[in-house]
């Protein structure tokens, strides 16, 4: 542990962590609002306010299980110091900025996990990893979009059967209203799962410096700061990714948007209560592909979906490599 870390450096690292949280909200704004914008239920400027509000109040609904996993279940807290945290954040931020500039909806969550693993292994080798927590997270990379896909497909089948005797106009009007609820639930799940990842980073940094005593916990001021940073990032929007998520994968109706958001929200709620740090990007993409495939397989632009999958596969190693290089560069600078 870096017990002699000065207060200005500690404050600076917390600021960098909150910057990552802000960029997470900016990068992942599309996850919360892409469907409700693409179906024209809400204008983009109103949709981001709607999403940001529910992002912020998520801490009132969920526990802090995901923060616990990030803080103690990815790399060994005993090897965490300021340099590992700095390397992890740089790795995650650089990858987020690259994918944001290219309009690719990669996972901020897995960029952060890759950064942690890269920084930790650069310092202590493969023994730095907590394999039980890491394997659970890697498994979620596959399961979260699959669960979102299946739930969304199932919901399309259910609501299509329930609406068979209604006129198209009545169905459209009903689901335009219901999309407010489904978008709220998805934004709530997004804020609940994603903001906790930065909480875990800040908390393990404070723990490594002896500011939390002998027991790992997440101070309330950290909770509020992270929720606020994410909500502010969401307010700024991520319009390139909104276009990819809401328009380029498949064309959505209000009913399909409702099914995608509800299926994605259910997946996030389950994962957050179980303490699994899943990707909100993976989840909503799987759900959107699910509603498109439920209509007909050709309704999905599979070339766009496949390019997104490629970004998912390389996110953890790419951010991990950047983090490892950053850690080694810091060692040269310190020496």
């Amino acid at each position: 542990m870096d017990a002699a870390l000065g207060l200005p450096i500690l404050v600076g690292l917390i600021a960098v962590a909150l910057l990552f949280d802000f960029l997470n909200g900016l990068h992942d704004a599309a996850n919360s609002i892409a469907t409700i914008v693409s179906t024209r239920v809400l204008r983009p400027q109103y949709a981001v306010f709607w999403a940001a509000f529910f992002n912020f109040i998520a801490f009132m609904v969920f526990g802090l299980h995901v923060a616990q996993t990030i803080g103690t279940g990815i790399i060994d807290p005993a090897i965490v110091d300021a340099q590992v945290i700095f390397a992890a954040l740089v790795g995650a931020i650089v990858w987020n900025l690259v994918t944001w500039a290219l309009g690719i909806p990669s996972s901020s969550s897995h960029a952060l996990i890759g950064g942690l693993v890269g920084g930790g292994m650069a310092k202590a080798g493969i023994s730095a990893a907590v394999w039980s927590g890491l394997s659970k997270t890697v498994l979620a990379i596959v399961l979260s979009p699959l669960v979102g896909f299946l739930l969304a497909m199932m919901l399309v089948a259910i609501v299509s059967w329930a609406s068979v005797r209604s006129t198209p106009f009545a169905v459209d009007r009903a689901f335009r209203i219901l999309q407010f609820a489904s978008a709220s639930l998805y934004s709530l799940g997004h804020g609940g799962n994603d903001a906790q990842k930065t909480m875990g980073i800040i908390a393990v940094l404070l723990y490594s410096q002896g500011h939390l005593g002998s027991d790992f916990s997440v101070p309330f001021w950290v909770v509020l700061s992270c929720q606020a940073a994410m909500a502010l990032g969401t307010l700024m929007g991520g319009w390139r990714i909104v276009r990819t998520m809401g328009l380029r994968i498949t064309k959505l109706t209000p009913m399909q948007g409702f099914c995608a958001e509800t299926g994605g929200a259910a997946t996030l709620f389950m994962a957050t209560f179980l303490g699994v740090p899943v990707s909100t990007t993976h989840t909503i993409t799987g759900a959107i592909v699910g509603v498109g495939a439920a209509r007909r397989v050709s309704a999905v632009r599979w070339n766009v979906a496949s390019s997104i999958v490629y970004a998912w596969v390389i996110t953890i190693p790419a951010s991990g490599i950047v983090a490892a290089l950053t850690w080694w560069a810091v060692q040269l600078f310190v020496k």
Side-chain angles (χ1 to χ4, degrees), residues 4-217:
L5 187 63
L7 183 61
I9 297 176
L10 179 62
V11 171
L13 280 172
I14 291 172
V16 174
L18 292 174
L19 172 63
F20 168 79
D21 206 25
F22 171 83
L23 290 172
N24 192 341
L26 177 74
H27 190 274
D28 289 358
N31 299 349
S32 298
I33 67 174
T35 53
I36 203 169
V37 169
S38 68
T39 56
R40 305 184 190 278
V41 171
L42 270 182
R43 292 182 180 179
Q45 58 267 39
Y46 298 138
V48 290
F49 276 100
W50 187 266
F53 172 74
F54 286 98
N55 274 181
F56 179 72
I57 66 168
F59 73 93
M60 300 170 67
V61 177
F62 301 101
L64 298 176
H65 309 299
V66 174
Q68 187 81 23
T69 298
I70 291 292
T72 61
I74 302 298
I75 59 172
D76 184 355
I79 65 104
V80 172
D81 59 16
Q83 295 165 9
V84 170
I85 294 295
F86 178 72
L89 290 169
V90 169
I93 288 171
V94 167
W95 185 246
N96 267 0
L97 289 174
V98 168
T99 52
W100 175 75
L102 296 174
I104 300 170
S106 67
S107 169
S108 299
S109 308
H110 294 133
L112 182 60
I113 290 164
L116 272 175
V117 172
M121 287 188 175
K123 178 182 178 181
I126 60 172
S127 62
V130 178
W131 292 105
S132 58
L134 191 56
S135 60
K136 180 173 67 173
T137 301
V138 171
L139 182 62
I141 292 177
V142 177
L143 290 183
S144 61
L146 180 61
V147 172
F149 176 90
L150 293 174
L151 285 177
M153 279 193 79
M154 217 162 53
L155 282 166
V156 169
I158 291 169
V159 299
S160 297
W161 176 80
S163 307
V164 70
R165 296 189 179 182
S166 301
T167 65
F169 176 78
V171 171
D172 186 77
R173 184 176 59 182
F175 282 101
R176 282 180 179 276
I177 296 169
L178 287 170
Q179 258 205 287
F180 284 98
S182 60
S184 302
L185 290 172
Y186 195 86
S187 296
L188 201 63
H190 174 225
N193 201 282
D194 270 16
Q196 286 194 44
K197 291 150 191 167
T198 308
M199 294 177 204
I201 287 287
I202 296 175
V204 75
L205 176 62
L206 294 171
Y207 177 75
S208 73
Q209 302 305 306
H211 293 291
L212 300 181
S214 58
D215 297 322
F216 180 87
S217 61

Side-chain angles (χ1 to χ4, degrees), residues 145 148-150 152-154 156-157 160 249-252 256 259-260 285-302 305:
F149 176 90
L150 293 174
M153 279 193 79
M154 217 162 53
V156 169
S160 297
I249 295 175
T250 189
K251 187 177 180 181
L252 298 174
Q256 292 167 333
C259 292
T285 302
I288 291 172
V289 171
V291 298
R295 185 165 73 242
R296 63 181 189 279
V297 174
S298 62
V300 178
R301 296 186 178 93
W302 294 103

Side-chain angles (χ1 to χ4, degrees), residues 211-227:
H211 293 291
L212 300 181
S214 58
D215 297 322
F216 180 87
S217 61
V218 183
F220 188 59
W221 68 266
V222 173
V223 174
L224 286 181
S225 300
C226 291
Q227 297 288 176

